[in-house]
RNA sequence: GCCGCCAUAGCUCAGCUGGUAGAGCACCUGAUUUGUAAUCAGGGGGUCGGGGGUUCGAGUCCCUCUGGCGGCACCA
């Protein structure tokens, strides 16, 4: 780098999953065209098989050396190394690099199965108040074959991108005037509604109640809740002609406290599990929106559990079990669970935070879940358990969440009358399983690559005719399938059956029902399932019964079995 | 918000060093009535993301705005 682009400072360059990156500070910004030049020079260095020699330097000498050659970032790293830490410097020819090591004995050992992939910006030490460096991402493998296989994997994963599939399957779109705002098309909205219906059944079955609260409330309301102070940047604010300043709700929690506070609550009422699926708006920064996975307008499968201290662990455990069951029904696998600890910007006392963090961890343990503690990531009102899922290219996204909150009930003066006849504060558990429905659907689209299981598929059956002689019968078939509760469509276009099969297969319709003269005469249909080329011929009535049963959501299927109550 | 890249027909994309837009699919029309992953022929369709500039001339060069992509920061 420093030979090709004199004056470039180098900073850190760790290995990451499937490769590495290097953060550098060039004199003039690099562009994509520079990567091949760098790669070519890398290959020369590998060919030269130069020795990499470890040396230990004294702290002052190392700092002085790197400062003298203009490597201020390296000097800063050394200054911040703890006292007593050995300072290792690797020598390659007359080039010196600060690195903890270990290194291979010589550059030839690296091999040539590597590729520089992309340029990105990255703040020095991850702090946006620092200078922005340029980050070069690359991948490296033992053999050319492994490299090719990796590149192929990435290419395949990109085909599962929910934005690409969403367009191809006509599920949704986003347009310039509504950055981060989803226009759900009929098929996408069908999927959405199907998932909402499922979530409603699951929570109603375990004692939740559902409410609906206002979208826009006055500034004073958000001041009371604390959102105006801690969350103002992310709220959409508007003003009426009469001068009232209003903000669109970014969360339901303060609204739910209003319902809780309406009238007097008894300990006998607790826990109250209050759910809401209304839309939320968050003014996310311009660089952060991302298809369905990070939006500015969404709905959450949101609920707040108001309970007494003694109920926290039990409620938390029950929630985690529900979440596991829901994820299993959707066929997705948890990537990781994180316990996000107190952030700098927070309300509440340290004592409250400590109790809250410990309780969440205990509940996770009881539910048999390993958590990874991450500092400084909690919500301003409480710590949270974050349930992360992976997208097609391996990025992880927080979907489910469980947050323990002592702060909001206090700020908004929520109380109940306990056994002792005194007012007590309830605790709030903020919880969501899908998180944002938009995000969860995005993850699901990538997970299934658009080929949804029957119960989720926006179109479950397409009835395709072979000749126009079968049109009338095909209409009967569709009516009957629809009457049986199936999402069926008809294709009577003047096209060959091959054409129709191909098109509906590419559209990921799980079942194609082919009808020709024979079927019309015998009142049968020939079913062809996505991914197979076998067909089964069934009487129309039988087919309706079979498919209806097959299309049950997992929870409905469990309930339908007499010996297995849901 | 920051760094790099990108924006051409409904979709996917081509258009070399500036000479005034092209393919496939889709759509429409006609023919074909078809048995399990693309029937044939014809036709319509683009102020080349917006604005400004350089030039005799800009899809192509420059500036700027908007949006997208990959990261970083942020993420209740």
């Amino acid at each position: 780098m420093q030979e090709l682009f004199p004056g470039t400072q180098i900073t850190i360059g760790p290995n990451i999953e499937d490769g590495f990156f290097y953060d550098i500070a060039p004199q003039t910004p690099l562009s994509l065209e520079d990567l091949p030049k760098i790669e070519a020079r890398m290959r020369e260095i590998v060919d030269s098989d130069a020795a990499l020699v470890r040396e230990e330097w004294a702290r002052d000498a190392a700092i002085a050396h790197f400062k003298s050659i203009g490597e201020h970032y390296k000097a800063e790293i050394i200054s911040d190394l703890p006292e007593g830490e050995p300072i290792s410097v690797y020598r390659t020819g007359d080039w010196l690099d600060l690195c903890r090591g270990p290194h291979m004995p010589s550059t030839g050992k690296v091999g040539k199965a590597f590729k520089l992939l992309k340029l990105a910006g990255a703040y020095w030490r991850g702090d946006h108040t620092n200078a922005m460096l340029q980050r070069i991402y690359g991948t490296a493998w033992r053999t050319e074959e492994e490299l090719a296989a990796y590149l192929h994997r990435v290419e395949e994963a990109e085909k599962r991108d929910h934005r690409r599939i969403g367009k191809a399957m006509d599920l949704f779109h986003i347009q310039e005037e509504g950055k981060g705002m989803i226009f759900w098309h009929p098929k996408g909205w069908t999927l959405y509604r199907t998932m909402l219906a499922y979530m409603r059944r699951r929570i109603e079955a375990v004692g939740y109640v559902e409410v609906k609260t206002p979208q826009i409330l006055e500034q004073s309301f958000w001041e009371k809740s604390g959102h105006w102070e801690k969350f103002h940047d992310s709220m959409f604010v508007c003003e009426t002609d009469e001068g009232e300043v209003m903000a669109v709700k970014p969360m339901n929690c303060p609204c739910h406290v209003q319902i809780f506070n309406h009238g007097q609550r008894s300990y006998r009422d607790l826990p109250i599990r209050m759910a809401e699926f209304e839309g939320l708006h968050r003014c996310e920064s311009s660089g952060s929106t991302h298809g369905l996975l990070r939006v500015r307008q969404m709905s959450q499968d949101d609920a707040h559990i108001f309970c007494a201290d003694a109920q926290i662990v039990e409620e938390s455990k029950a929630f985690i079990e529900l979440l596991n069951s829901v994820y299993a029904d959707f066929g997705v696998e948890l990537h990781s669970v994180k316990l996000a600890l107190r952030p700098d910007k927070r309300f509440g006392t340290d004592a409250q935070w400590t109790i809250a963090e410990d309780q969440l961890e205990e509940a996770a343990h009881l539910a048999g879940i390993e958590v990874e503690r991450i500092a400084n990531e909690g919500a301003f009102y409480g710590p949270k358990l974050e349930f992360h899922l992976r997208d097609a290219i391996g990025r992880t996204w927080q979907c489910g969440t469980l947050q323990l909150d002592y702060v909001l009930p206090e700020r908004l003066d929520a109380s109940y009358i306990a056994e002792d006849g005194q007012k007590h504060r309830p605790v709030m558990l903020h919880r969501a399983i899908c998180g944002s429905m938009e995000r969860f659907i995005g993850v699901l689209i990538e997970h299934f690559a658009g080929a949804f299981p029957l119960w989720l598929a926006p179109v479950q059956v397409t009835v395709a005719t072979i000749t126009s002689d079968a049109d009338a019968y095909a209409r009967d078939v569709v009516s009957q399938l629809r009457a049986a509760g199936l999402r069926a469509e008809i294709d009577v276009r003047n096209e060959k059956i091959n054409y129709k099969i191909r098109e509906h297969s590419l559209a990921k319709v799980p079942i194609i029902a082919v009808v020709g003269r024979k079927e019309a005469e015998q009142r049968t249909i020939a079913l062809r399932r996505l991914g197979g080329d076998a067909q089964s011929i069934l009487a129309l009535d039988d087919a309706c019964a079979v498919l209806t049963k097959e299309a049950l959501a997992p929870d409905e299927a469990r309930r339908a079995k007499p010996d297995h109550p849901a």
Side-chain angles (χ1 to χ4, degrees):
Chain A
M1 287 304 311
Q2 295 177 324
E3 286 171 13
L4 293 170
F5 307 98
T8 297
Q9 291 188 65
I10 59 174
T11 69
I12 57 161
N15 61 310
I16 52 174
E17 193 174 358
D18 301 329
F20 59 91
F21 67 75
Y22 218 118
D23 285 353
I24 60 165
Q27 297 256 304
T28 52
L30 297 183
S31 83
L32 237 34
E33 286 105 66
D34 294 322
L35 294 187
K37 293 178 212 160
I38 300 167
E39 258 187 43
R41 183 68 189 116
M42 287 167 75
R43 285 174 208 288
E44 285 170 24
I45 294 170
V46 170
D47 279 334
S48 75
D49 198 19
L52 294 160
V53 182
R54 185 173 198 274
E55 297 176 2
E56 273 195 29
W57 285 43
R59 171 181 297 262
D60 293 345
I63 294 174
H65 168 74
F66 284 107
K67 273 194 179 153
S68 76
I69 58 171
E71 291 272 25
H72 302 290
Y73 292 104
K74 286 285 185 192
E76 191 179 325
I77 295 170
I78 300 168
S79 310
D80 290 350
L81 283 176
E83 285 298 333
E85 181 101 347
I87 294 163
S88 59
V89 172
Y90 283 83
R91 181 183 291 277
T92 317
D94 51 8
W95 189 74
L96 294 168
D97 182 28
L98 171 79
C99 187
R100 184 189 295 127
H103 277 12
M104 289 174 168
S106 69
T107 59
K109 298 283 187 289
V110 174
K112 291 188 184 171
F114 59 78
K115 187 172 168 58
L116 299 183
L117 298 173
K118 53 197 178 189
L119 278 174
Y123 295 105
W124 168 237
R125 301 205 147 163
D127 182 340
H128 71 280
T129 58
N130 286 341
M132 176 151 285
L133 308 172
Q134 274 197 303
R135 176 170 294 180
I136 301 174
Y137 279 93
T139 187
W141 300 84
R142 268 190 297 271
T143 64
E144 295 287 342
E145 290 72 35
E146 284 180 5
L147 172 62
Y150 167 74
L151 295 174
H152 184 252
R153 259 201 324 279
V154 171
E155 221 171 280
E156 288 301 305
E158 280 167 0
K159 290 185 190 157
R160 302 169 80 96
D161 191 310
H162 72 281
R163 292 160 298 193
R164 180 197 285 238
I165 291 175
K167 197 183 273 185
M169 291 180 73
D170 195 21
L171 300 177
F172 66 90
H173 86 268
I174 305 170
Q175 63 193 44
E176 280 202 10
E177 301 97 320
K179 181 171 51 180
M181 310 279 190
I182 312 300
F183 288 75
W184 286 101
H185 293 16
K187 287 191 180 111
W189 186 240
T190 297
L191 173 61
Y192 201 123
R193 284 189 300 117
T194 303
M195 292 178 56
L196 280 181
Y198 165 84
M199 287 312 304
R200 285 192 159 109
R201 287 195 306 273
R202 293 304 311 263
I203 62 172
E204 279 165 16
V206 291
Y208 284 70
V209 291
E210 185 177 329
V211 298
K212 173 169 154 47
T213 61
Q215 288 284 356
I216 304 176
L217 288 150
E218 276 187 44
Q219 177 177 347
S220 58
F221 179 81
W222 302 110
E223 282 169 352
K224 272 184 266 171
S225 73
H227 288 77
W228 198 263
E229 181 187 342
K230 301 288 185 191
F231 204 63
H232 182 259
D233 290 349
S234 300
M235 289 163 73
F236 287 99
V237 176
C238 56
E239 197 177 336
T240 66
D241 284 349
E242 297 173 5
E244 299 163 294
V245 176
M246 317 279 288
V248 184
K249 69 173 168 187
M251 300 177 222
N252 293 311
C253 30
C255 294
H256 290 183
V257 180
Q258 306 314 306
I259 295 180
F260 180 89
N261 284 355
H262 218 81
Q264 201 165 50
R265 301 290 178 178
S266 152
Y267 71 95
R268 296 175 200 276
D269 299 329
L270 303 185
I272 292 173
R273 308 183 187 92
M274 196 182 292
E276 176 160 1
F277 297 90
E278 268 304 289
L280 304 173
H281 290 75
R282 299 177 182 183
C283 190
E284 301 286 359
S285 63
S286 60
S288 67
T289 58
H290 185 99
L292 294 179
L293 298 179
R294 181 95 180 255
V295 293
R296 296 176 115 183
Q297 198 279 121
M298 63 172 134
S299 293
Q300 292 184 323
D301 63 319
D302 194 17
H304 296 93
I305 301 174
F306 296 88
C307 65
D309 285 341
Q311 296 169 319
I312 293 172
V313 172
E314 185 190 339
E315 284 298 314
S316 299
K317 178 170 172 277
F319 166 72
I320 296 169
E321 286 166 356
L322 180 64
L323 177 140
N324 278 330
S325 164
V326 167
Y327 283 11
D329 281 354
F330 283 119
V332 297
E333 214 173 294
L334 257 180
H335 171 265
S336 54
V337 181
K338 294 176 183 165
L339 177 60
L341 308 168
R342 65 197 80 183
D344 295 336
K345 229 162 88 169
R346 64 173 184 263
F347 288 129
T349 64
D350 284 348
Q352 286 175 323
W353 276 89
T354 302
I355 297 170
E357 289 165 354
D358 290 349
Q359 302 238 45
L360 278 185
E361 191 155 30
E362 188 191 343
H365 269 300
L366 286 174
I369 280 184
E370 284 279 313
V371 303
E372 178 191 331
R373 296 169 72 95
I374 45 174
N376 216 357
E377 296 282 324
F380 65 77
Y381 48 70
K384 50 180 186 167
L385 280 175
E386 302 180 348
F387 299 84
H388 288 253
L389 300 176
R390 275 174 91 114
D391 70 11
I393 63 171
R395 289 176 293 213
T396 77
W397 298 88
Q398 180 197 313
C399 291
T401 183
L402 173 62
Q403 305 171 13
L404 210 160
D405 181 5
Y406 289 104
V407 174
L408 212 54
E410 194 172 307
R411 285 187 71 94
L412 298 175
D413 197 26
S415 66
Y416 65 94
I417 308 298
E419 292 98 317
D420 60 7
Q422 301 297 306
K423 276 190 176 182
H424 285 246
R425 283 265 176 254
V427 178
M428 268 176 100
L429 299 176
H430 307 240
R431 43 108 291 162
I433 294 175
C434 298
S436 134
M437 295 304 293
E438 280 72 8
R439 174 175 292 182
F440 197 77
I441 291 172
V443 170
L444 273 192
I445 292 172
E446 305 203 351
H447 177 72
F448 291 117
F452 296 105
L454 191 60
W455 72 282
L456 286 172
V459 177
Q460 297 173 314
V461 188
T462 294
V463 179
T465 52
I466 293 173
T467 83
S468 52
D469 293 344
D471 286 1
Y473 176 61
R475 284 185 235 281
D476 274 1
V477 172
V478 169
S479 312
Q480 212 167 123
L481 290 170
R482 285 183 179 160
L486 291 156
R487 295 185 288 270
E489 290 198 346
I490 191 165
D491 184 354
V492 291
R493 289 175 303 172
N494 181 6
E495 295 290 350
K496 292 193 168 180
I497 192 64
N498 285 318
Y499 179 90
K500 296 184 184 180
I501 299 270
R502 175 181 157 80
E503 189 163 285
H504 300 299
S505 298
L506 291 174
K508 316 280 192 197
V509 176
I511 295 170
I512 301 173
V514 177
V515 299
R517 281 200 197 93
K518 209 168 21 175
E519 287 76 13
E521 281 161 18
Q522 300 170 350
R523 291 198 71 79
T524 56
I525 54 178
L527 299 182
R528 185 189 210 278
R529 279 155 206 281
L530 186 60
D533 51 9
Q535 63 167 349
S536 54
I537 298 182
L538 291 176
L540 178 53
D541 291 340
D542 295 343
C544 282
V546 168
L547 293 181
T548 306
K549 195 172 164 202
E550 231 179 277
L552 288 176
D555 63 312
E556 295 170 318
R558 283 193 292 272
R559 203 176 302 163
K561 286 186 190 164
D563 48 336
H564 290 91

